[in-house]
Amino acid sequence: MQNERKPLYMQIQQHFKDSILRGELKENDKIPSEKELMEQFDVSRITVANALMQLAKDGWIYRIPGRGSFVSEGIGELLRHQGLPSPESPSRTPLDGSAAHGAGAYGGGPGDLLPAAGEAALQSEARKTIGLVMPMLVDYFAIRLLQGINNVIENSPYRLQIVLTNNSIEREKEAIGDLIRKGAAGLIIFPCDAETYNEEILSLKLRGFPFVLIDRYLPGVATNVARSDGLIGGQLAVDYLWGLGHRDIAICSDSPLPTITVEDRINGYMEALKQKEAMINPALILTDFNVDYSGIDKKHPLYRFIKNQIATAYITLNGRLGLHIYSICKELGLKVPEDVSILTFDDPSPGLHEWGYFSHISQSEIEMGEAAANILLQLFESTDIKEPGYTKVILQPKLIESQSTGPLRK
């Protein structure tokens, strides 16, 4: 295999495409881990990551952080669209039956979580309730999402009940179960950061309960969703900073817990560098630590990284982290943007003025919230039970240039 002219990452892609076409790998089958693939094909982690990223981008597989990579749900339809023969073998239960297991977590799943007779008096009113499940309300991104949802809900017969999970998957499960037991008509769910996805969300799909995911999605699993295209956002960020002359561009998160939005944005970052034939430096991908926003810790690896001026520009995966890096730069006597450029995902400012201070990748949060609410209201009105279909609204991110970024100083 090493002697073939086709690039190694493309050879790995073709290996799995052939296995799927032959029916050796079926829907939701797990494929080997990155480490196993590195050993099997005698290649680097970057080569394996590039192969899997492209397979996921093209719809052949989906990836669940902390769980691995799986053959996409509906792979047969993808093959038909490409004029390829569809495997005849039956599909497997998603995630090796984990979704079905989740469906029974409350003795039968969300579809069975109806109020008891003693709660009948509350049920009528509750059916006019839409539940919004969110990790936290700590930044203007979340507030703008909420504003968008409310723009639609306030003109409907439904009222909004917000439950915050404090970014805990256990609290998220409890919130979903509690809202359904109390008779909520439907849910809008912003999944929390977690090693694995909440199986209660998968059980909602199996039971046909009306819900919409917002900001994040389940790769390879069809659901109603309103989100921004993180892959394009990551590419936009790199292209912009590269155009300003920056070559040592760091991308950083404030939590080591993987989410699909983080993965998409980092994949976009890597794709942009690959298109420029630039080396991908793993040391500039800063995602293996937590950030404590209560103060500046001089022993924190992020502080040392900035102090040593390893990067000339930073892409932060949320606005709050951009503010934190700005504070560290100020503590170190580094000027923004003369010494360091900072580009954030989402605007950390309240947006009360036409232009905020931070250059950022806008995800159009208000429009995203409005889209999620409209999808849910349409679900309530739908009478086609046999073929419900799924609505996906994928917003294109926008670059907003402001004062926190500038040309690389010679």
Side-chain angles (χ1 to χ4, degrees):
M1 184 172 186
Q2 295 276 4
N3 296 326
E4 297 181 24
R5 293 183 180 180
K6 184 182 291 186
L8 292 173
Y9 78 93
M10 293 181 67
Q11 295 178 34
I12 297 172
Q13 290 176 50
Q14 194 61 50
H15 168 80
F16 285 108
K17 289 180 180 180
D18 290 343
S19 296
I20 291 170
L21 287 169
R22 289 193 297 265
E24 296 167 2
L25 287 172
K26 308 171 185 66
E27 286 187 2
N28 299 302
D29 274 357
K30 192 172 190 286
I31 68 175
S33 66
E34 288 191 3
K35 183 178 180 181
E36 290 170 331
L37 293 177
M38 288 167 61
E39 295 174 354
Q40 179 180 347
F41 296 103
D42 191 23
V43 294
S44 68
R45 183 177 294 276
I46 291 295
T47 298
V48 171
N50 283 340
L52 297 179
M53 177 184 72
Q54 193 62 46
L55 284 169
K57 182 179 177 181
D58 293 343
W60 289 78
I61 66 172
Y62 64 94
R63 308 179 71 185
I64 297 183
R67 295 291 293 272
S69 300
F70 304 82
V71 178
S72 285
E73 182 178 289
I75 187 66
E77 183 178 352
L78 171 71
L79 299 181
R80 285 192 294 274
H81 285 166
Q82 296 185 3
L84 297 171
S86 178
E88 296 181 0
S89 302
S91 62
R92 306 272 182 93
T93 302
L95 305 186
D96 299 324
S98 61
H101 174 74
Y106 295 97
D112 294 334
L113 296 179
L114 299 176
E119 300 178 20
L122 299 175
Q123 183 175 355
S124 177
E125 179 64 23
R127 287 196 182 282
K128 291 296 183 182
T129 297
I130 289 174
L132 172 61
V133 181
M134 294 190 69
M136 290 179 283
L137 281 172
V138 295
D139 56 19
Y140 290 107
F141 172 79
I143 292 172
R144 285 189 280 264
L145 270 184
L146 181 57
Q147 179 184 340
I149 294 170
N150 191 60
N151 286 347
V152 174
I153 299 300
E154 67 179 354
N155 297 318
S156 77
Y158 298 90
R159 60 186 179 87
L160 192 64
Q161 181 174 345
I162 304 169
V163 181
L164 303 181
T165 64
N166 197 31
N167 215 24
S168 162
I169 195 166
E170 291 304 320
R171 291 190 182 183
E172 186 175 85
K173 291 178 181 178
E174 292 172 3
I176 291 172
D178 190 50
L179 285 165
I180 294 174
R181 271 192 296 271
K182 291 179 178 178
L187 301 176
I188 299 174
I189 304 172
F190 188 133
C192 66
D193 299 341
E195 292 287 346
T196 59
Y197 287 110
N198 181 353
E199 293 174 357
E200 292 305 313
I201 296 177
L202 294 175
S203 71
L204 293 176
K205 169 184 166 70
L206 292 177
R207 296 285 178 170
F209 187 84
F211 77 100
V212 182
L213 298 183
I214 192 167
D215 186 68
R216 297 172 183 170
Y217 63 101
L218 308 182
V221 180
T223 63
N224 299 293
V225 63
R227 64 179 180 89
S228 176
D229 192 326
L231 189 77
I232 298 299
Q235 291 176 320
L236 267 178
V238 172
D239 289 344
Y240 169 64
L241 293 170
W242 190 275
L244 292 175
H246 296 279
R247 297 298 179 266
D248 297 317
I249 303 170
I251 186 166
C252 45
S253 177
D254 56 0
S255 169
L257 291 175
T259 68
I260 191 61
T261 49
V262 168
E263 184 173 314
D264 280 350
R265 293 169 187 177
I266 291 177
N267 284 341
Y269 166 92
M270 294 172 62
E271 181 68 22
L273 291 176
K274 186 166 67 174
Q275 289 176 2
K276 295 170 178 30
E277 298 183 348
M279 289 289 292
I280 297 173
N281 183 357
L284 294 175
I285 302 176
L286 309 175
T287 60
D288 57 351
F289 49 68
N290 286 298
V291 172
D292 182 359
Y293 289 106
S294 62
I296 295 176
D297 179 2
K298 294 183 179 181
K299 296 181 180 180
H300 194 279
L302 181 59
Y303 183 93
R304 295 197 298 267
F305 190 96
I306 297 171
K307 181 179 180 180
N308 293 330
Q309 299 186 53
I310 298 172
T312 63
Y314 291 83
I315 301 168
T316 69
L317 297 187
N318 61 60
R320 195 181 185 196
L321 182 56
L323 289 170
H324 186 70
I325 289 179
Y326 179 87
S327 298
I328 293 175
C329 289
K330 189 175 180 181
E331 171 83 14
L332 291 169
L334 297 173
K335 295 182 180 179
V336 177
E338 291 84 356
D339 300 317
V340 176
S341 284
I342 303 173
L343 177 66
T344 68
F345 267 84
D346 315 320
D347 186 1
S349 73
L352 299 177
H353 306 287
E354 184 177 357
W355 294 105
Y357 175 78
F358 282 86
S359 297
H360 62 277
I361 302 296
S362 170
Q363 299 184 88
S364 304
E365 305 94 290
I366 293 177
E367 291 88 340
M368 191 188 302
E370 290 173 342
N374 277 318
I375 291 171
L376 196 57
L377 293 183
Q378 290 166 11
L379 288 176
F380 296 157
E381 296 173 0
S382 175
T383 57
D384 192 349
I385 299 175
K386 292 183 179 180
E387 296 292 337
Y390 296 100
T391 301
K392 297 181 181 180
V393 175
I394 303 177
L395 302 170
Q396 293 301 299
K398 303 170 187 173
L399 171 69
I400 307 297
E401 185 177 0
S402 193
Q403 302 172 57
S404 65
T405 51
L408 178 67
R409 190 165 65 175
K410 305 295 183 181

